[in-house]
Amino acid sequence: MPEQARAVIVGGGIVGCSVAYHLTTLGWRDVVLLEQGRLSGGTTWHAAGLVGQLRSSANLTRLIRYSADLYGRLEAETGQATGWKRCGSVSVARTAERMVQLKRNAALARAYGVDAEVIGLAEARRLYPPLRTDDLVGAVWLPGDGKVNPADVTQALARAARAGGARLREGVTVTGVRIAQGAAVGVETSEGPIAAEVVVNCAGMWARELGRLSNVPVPLHACEHMYMVTQPIAGVSPDLPVMRDPDGHVYFKEEVGGLLMGGFDPWAKPWGMNGIPEGFSFATLPEDWDKFEILMTNAITRVPMLEAAPVRLLMNGPESFTPDNYFILGEAPQVRRYYVAAGFCSGGIAAAGGAGRALAEWIVEDRPPMDLWPADIRRFAPFHADPRFLRERASEIVGVHYFVAFPNRELTSGRGLRRSPVHDQLRARGACFGAKMGWERANWFAPPGVSPETVYSFARQNWFPHAAAEHRAAREAVAVFDQTSFGKLLLEGPDAAGVLQRLCANDVDVPPGRLVYTGMLNERGGFETDVTVTRLAGDAYLIVTGSAQVTRDASWIRRHMPGQARAVLADVTGTWAVLGVMGPRSRQLLSRLTDADLSNEAFPFATMREIGLARAPVRASRITYVGELGWELYVPVEFAAGVYGALREAGGDLGLADAGYYAIDSLRMEKAYRAWGRELTTEDTPLEAGLAFAVRLDKPAAFLGREALLRMREQPLTRRLVTFVLEDGEALPLGDEPILCDGRIVGSVTSAAFGHTLGRAVAMGYVRHPDGVDGALLEGATFELDIAGERFKARAGLRAPYDPQGLRVKS
Ligand SMILES: Cc1cc2nc3c(=O)[nH]c(=O)nc-3n(C[C@H](O)[C@H](O)[C@H](O)COP(=O)(O)OP(=O)(O)OC[C@H]3O[C@@H](n4cnc5c(N)ncnc54)[C@H](O)[C@@H]3O)c2cc1C
């Protein structure tokens, strides 16, 4: 056993081996991988081996395309076969709604550079002869999809890692991670300690427990996951594509001349509630034919030949699932140089190549190589790792794989974790809630007689007219939004201003009582976050961020605080409720409840005042995310119910409406207000995003990302955020649609919503053009959005689609 290593990887599944291999390809020779049992003996050995390329984000798709490419060439590199076969895949639709999703996927695939073709049923049958088609609506063909033998890929990666200098040790259990000054510095093992610069937790379903030992939340839970394999069947050859019937929850793959059929149970069985049993290696779980019946029945409907096929085995193996069905990657926000790659939600074979490379690059460069936010470990808070919550959620999340991916689809399990103090009042007023970062948030309000339940569809959903009324109230009268879920961070201390000046692209060295909208950028000039910073006092700032970004932003700020900085950061999200009072009559409404002077002169835009309102001490911020005159009221939680009640009472004759997040979406889209994670990611700069106004290149303090922006300013912008207004009033983009310029794909939609004031759908998205993207290009070219395979014309621009009086917000 070595006594020290540069990197210690815990876990010798496909993921750990991939990380080890890729670290060596990046020049790290001193890599040690420790596996408690034998390589691939955890979950990897019994995986079905499907490698489907398409994922919901361009970068995650890119990772899997890299995996496919890697698995295709590893044999030549190592002499170890991987079983990679590019057999293609057919996905079929039983319903019209599913077909919309398949068409949307095909369009998405084209935007991501993945071959995909919508095919007729005769063609589906030609490609997949055992398929029953008489009850189907249509199908999609992805010729680049493939399959592998997971254990063989793991061995090939291990062999390649060893060739690169890595040492792989089997039969060694990591019993703890050594931490000094907030950073991982080694591991304790059954064979003695190893000092290390970096520790990587690739422990599969054991990763949560291993993380817990170091206070690193790794929210995943194992679930039973099954497939069956038949004896060889005449006519089933290794060239048979993979076939998915998501409406039946099942997939099929050729396996040694027979069929492997598995699926995603709509309500799966969590497993390992009392921990994973000791010595669980190359182990399976008892067959459960009762649980498998729903899959079997559906499978026989789709492939009738299965009924008579002798079954060779029913495999029941555990796999780990996360609360949102995306894997967990990256450096733990709690411990420096402690990395995690786990929770692969039944996609670890497909993802391992690309995820392993991305994590290796992340480790070597000390920053993510691309925007990987959907999989980033910082999207979670510690409460996500609560075992009871995970158990509940894991059971639902398995089936989500094959759910119809309706827009706004909410999960039903693990709900009600975080509630605003006005939650019950909003419920009584007809709120239909959705969940974000554990918060219950009102999405829309059902008027009397309407049930507050969203009916999902790809067309206008049932809440459309109600959200439209909320939207109009905010534009024409006044609306109240419960925005309590905003992330709130307090930075205090004599060096608070200095710390923030270094991190923020805008100038935040402003007098107390001023608010500044700003990005925090990385050294490449990309958005790590966008926040509103309020100077509360000379040595105190309130940083308000998106609900889902708190862990990430806190981690970013802490990591960039110089060691000697006299400043303390605290997450104060739960301290204040936030009531957004927005609309042209907001001043009139609030004036009824306060003696404070709310005039534009006394209380201008982008300022904050502490006022008494409805007998409560309130921090009122003159700011808006909906594009109207308005105030965000930061109310101590214990006063919030009273303030909300007073607003309701005082606002009746002014047309005060309760409004939810769907209205916020349509309002902000009309005003082209960007959202972090959609329009703003680590790969988008303020120049490309059209937010140069919120950057002060000339401020006295140099800030992170400034150099990159200065370099960028020298060249024409070949990629820019563009707004679109759809010509056809019925067109309904939902986000992610390809953008076409004169018939060529030039980008994809980042967000879309129906703009109720404009009477048209509005979208935003980045457009690329090698000669630069400017007004002339946008006016001269024809722009279209590909919505589920149909093209819709759109008017493109660099300005907000709705901005009749730019100053309205500010007067
Ligand atoms: C039935 C089934 C079908 C599947 N089909 C597919 C598919 O078709 N396509 C696909 O992409 N994915 C599929 N998967 C998912 C895939 O198998 C997993 O996502 C993948 O194997 C996860 O790999 P891993 O390396 O993260 O975990 P594992 O393979 O479980 O590796 C983790 C390793 O860490 C070791 N370890 C844990 N704790 C310690 C410790 N303290 N010290 C030392 N070692 C430790 C364990 O022994 C284990 O070997 C399927 C899964 C199942 C169950």
Side-chain angles (χ1 to χ4, degrees):
M1 277 289 286
E3 286 179 0
Q4 83 178 52
R6 194 150 184 210
V8 170
I9 297 163
V10 189
I14 191 168
V15 174
C17 290
S18 176
V19 174
Y21 164 66
H22 285 98
L23 279 173
T24 64
T25 62
L26 295 171
W28 281 33
R29 305 270 165 248
D30 194 8
V31 173
V32 170
L33 180 148
L34 304 173
E35 164 55 47
Q36 61 189 2
R38 281 170 36 226
L39 296 184
S40 83
T43 296
T44 297
W45 70 282
H46 54 54
L50 276 58
V51 179
Q53 303 169 86
L54 190 59
R55 290 296 183 274
S56 60
S57 93
N59 284 347
L60 294 186
T61 303
R62 203 169 289 157
L63 297 191
I64 297 184
R65 294 186 71 194
Y66 168 78
S67 295
D69 174 60
L70 174 70
Y71 302 161
R73 61 182 159 79
L74 264 183
E75 183 171 355
E77 195 176 320
T78 63
Q80 163 72 53
T82 60
W84 164 251
K85 186 151 191 67
R86 189 176 181 271
C87 55
S89 79
V90 177
S91 294
V92 301
R94 295 189 188 199
T95 65
E97 306 241 73
R98 174 72 64 183
M99 198 57 219
V100 174
Q101 185 186 340
L102 292 188
K103 286 180 177 170
R104 289 183 58 83
N105 289 352
L108 193 67
R110 285 191 289 275
Y112 295 169
V114 172
D115 286 341
E117 202 185 326
V118 177
I119 55 174
L121 294 175
E123 178 64 0
R125 186 123 194 204
R126 190 190 68 73
L127 289 163
Y128 199 88
L131 182 69
R132 177 181 155 198
T133 55
D134 61 331
D135 58 345
L136 292 178
V137 179
V140 162
W141 167 236
L142 277 93
D145 278 2
K147 56 183 180 176
V148 287
N149 182 336
D152 289 348
V153 175
T154 310
Q155 291 300 341
L157 288 165
R159 195 180 280 190
R162 283 196 188 100
R167 285 167 288 177
L168 282 63
R169 297 279 186 272
E170 293 176 303
V172 180
T173 303
V174 173
T175 52
V177 175
R178 289 182 163 189
I179 295 169
Q181 290 169 339
V185 291
V187 292
E188 308 283 350
T189 82
S190 52
E191 309 290 311
I194 305 178
E197 290 170 27
V198 162
V199 175
V200 195
N201 178 347
C202 298
M205 62 188 164
W206 293 263
R208 174 162 56 95
E209 185 52 27
L210 185 65
R212 198 182 59 78
L213 299 177
S214 313
N215 286 326
V216 170
V218 183
L220 55 82
H221 201 292
C223 270
E224 297 192 14
H225 200 38
M226 289 181 256
Y227 61 72
M228 57 153 255
V229 185
T230 71
Q231 299 289 359
I233 304 174
V236 173
S237 78
D239 295 331
L240 196 68
V242 162
M243 193 267 284
R244 295 185 179 84
D245 174 11
D247 296 308
H249 320 291
V250 290
Y251 64 82
F252 301 79
K253 170 200 169 224
E254 180 275 340
E255 180 93 355
V256 206
L259 283 178
L260 180 156
M261 182 279 286
F264 291 88
D265 198 320
W267 284 96
K269 262 169 48 186
W271 181 78
M273 261 74 94
N274 301 316
I276 314 297
E278 191 127 336
F280 192 88
S281 176
F282 290 105
T284 57
L285 306 176
E287 292 182 351
D288 186 345
W289 281 102
D290 286 345
K291 197 75 183 132
F292 198 67
E293 193 180 337
I294 175 175
L295 304 184
M296 195 66 193
T297 311
N298 275 298
I300 291 171
T301 305
R302 191 55 44 230
V303 176
M305 64 154 63
L306 206 60
E307 189 158 22
V311 175
R312 183 150 68 84
L313 65 95
L314 176 63
M315 158 68 70
N316 185 1
E319 160 68 333
S320 40
F321 291 84
T322 66
D324 60 5
N325 212 21
Y326 288 96
F327 55 89
I328 303 172
L329 200 72
E331 188 182 18
Q334 297 78 10
V335 183
R336 277 285 278 158
R337 306 310 266 166
Y338 185 124
Y339 292 84
V340 179
F344 278 83
C345 306
S346 203
I349 307 306
R357 181 171 78 164
L359 192 69
E361 288 172 350
W362 196 326
I363 292 168
V364 170
E365 296 285 323
D366 197 16
R367 64 182 188 200
M370 58 180 102
D371 171 42
L372 291 169
W373 178 237
D376 194 313
I377 189 168
R378 291 168 295 175
R379 73 192 187 277
F380 292 120
F383 71 81
H384 283 116
D386 177 81
R388 281 167 194 264
F389 161 72
L390 284 169
R391 222 168 286 153
E392 228 181 282
R393 177 54 62 81
S395 177
E396 181 183 19
I397 210 76
V398 175
V400 166
H401 242 84
Y402 279 176
F403 277 7
V404 178
F406 287 121
N408 314 316
R409 188 154 190 165
E410 296 282 347
L411 296 170
T412 57
S413 62
R415 294 290 297 272
L417 298 182
R418 303 172 88 184
R419 292 190 180 141
S420 137
V422 299
H423 178 272
D424 291 351
Q425 286 157 292
L426 301 188
R427 178 180 291 286
R429 298 192 58 83
C432 175
F433 292 95
K436 186 137 192 196
M437 196 65 165
W439 286 99
E440 292 294 321
R441 311 196 311 178
N443 281 336
W444 60 280
F445 287 81
V450 174
S451 170
E453 266 174 70
T454 295
V455 180
Y456 296 116
S457 103
F458 286 104
R460 292 181 180 181
Q461 298 181 355
N462 62 324
W463 47 264
F464 188 90
H466 314 305
E470 296 166 24
H471 176 117
R472 276 192 291 274
R475 285 268 184 269
E476 294 158 21
V478 56
V480 57
F481 299 85
D482 177 17
Q483 295 170 292
T484 299
S485 69
F486 272 156
K488 307 167 200 92
L489 299 168
L490 193 61
L491 186 70
E492 283 183 296
D495 294 333
V499 167
L500 283 185
Q501 278 292 69
R502 167 94 186 112
L503 287 178
C504 296
N506 211 337
D507 190 355
V508 295
D509 194 3
V510 291
R514 280 283 305 282
L515 266 86
V516 181
Y517 169 69
T518 179
M520 292 192 193
L521 311 179
N522 53 41
E523 56 277 27
R524 289 167 282 188
F527 278 94
E528 287 295 327
T529 185
D530 76 320
V531 293
T532 315
V533 172
T534 305
R535 191 161 205 173
L536 302 177
D539 61 354
Y541 286 90
L542 177 67
I543 302 157
V544 176
T545 185
S547 318
Q549 283 153 253
V550 196
T551 310
R552 179 197 177 93
D553 290 3
S555 159
W556 181 258
I557 295 168
R558 286 206 178 95
R559 295 233 164 136
H560 290 86
M561 258 198 242
Q564 73 286 6
R566 292 162 306 157
V568 180
L569 186 76
D571 180 351
V572 294
T573 301
T575 311
W576 284 299
V578 183
L579 298 173
V581 179
M582 301 286 152
R585 294 186 197 149
S586 54
R587 181 176 282 131
Q588 204 180 339
L589 168 58
L590 294 181
S591 297
R592 291 178 179 179
L593 299 171
T594 182
D595 298 331
D597 184 351
L598 302 182
S599 69
N600 198 41
E601 296 67 39
F603 205 146
F605 183 70
T607 59
M608 184 279 297
R609 301 271 182 273
E610 294 187 33
I611 62 173
L613 188 120
R615 300 178 303 164
V618 166
R619 285 194 166 132
S621 291
R622 180 89 189 276
I623 192 84
T624 176
Y625 194 48
V626 299
E628 296 298 333
L629 172 72
W631 280 262
E632 282 173 4
L633 307 176
Y634 288 74
V635 188
V637 286
E638 67 275 27
F639 286 96
V643 170
Y644 174 78
L647 286 168
R648 288 262 23 127
E649 247 173 60
D653 64 324
L654 297 175
L656 174 69
D658 287 293
Y661 274 84
Y662 293 165
I664 292 184
D665 260 351
S666 61
L667 290 157
R668 74 117 179 149
M669 286 299 297
E670 286 185 336
K671 292 289 290 186
Y673 290 152
R674 283 73 167 144
W676 194 86
R678 303 295 305 181
E679 287 73 41
L680 310 179
T681 75
T682 53
E683 296 178 13
D684 310 312
T685 68
L687 305 185
E688 295 163 318
L691 294 177
F693 71 87
V695 176
R696 283 289 304 277
L697 289 166
D698 60 343
K699 73 176 179 178
F703 62 88
L704 205 56
R706 179 173 180 271
E707 300 306 313
L709 297 188
L710 286 173
R711 279 194 302 276
M712 198 170 204
R713 238 176 24 156
E714 304 295 307
Q715 314 285 339
L717 289 168
T718 54
R719 179 176 174 275
R720 277 177 98 171
L721 188 68
V722 172
T723 59
F724 299 95
V725 179
L726 279 290
E727 283 184 10
D728 180 342
E730 294 301 310
L732 198 60
L734 305 167
D736 296 327
E737 290 81 4
I739 301 167
L740 297 104
C741 171
D742 292 334
R744 275 189 32 251
I745 295 180
V746 291
S748 50
V749 168
T750 49
S751 303
F754 191 85
H756 298 285
T757 311
L758 296 168
R760 299 252 178 295
V762 190
M764 284 191 267
Y766 284 93
V767 167
R768 292 178 181 279
H769 197 283
D771 302 331
V773 178
D774 54 20
L777 172 82
L778 300 183
E779 270 166 38
T782 302
F783 282 88
E784 292 164 305
L785 304 188
D786 175 341
I787 306 176
E790 214 181 317
R791 291 184 184 183
F792 292 88
K793 282 212 171 77
R795 182 163 50 77
L798 292 170
R799 290 169 177 279
Y802 174 76
D803 198 13
Q805 318 144 30
L807 288 177
R808 191 153 104 171
V809 170
K810 301 190 177 172
S811 55

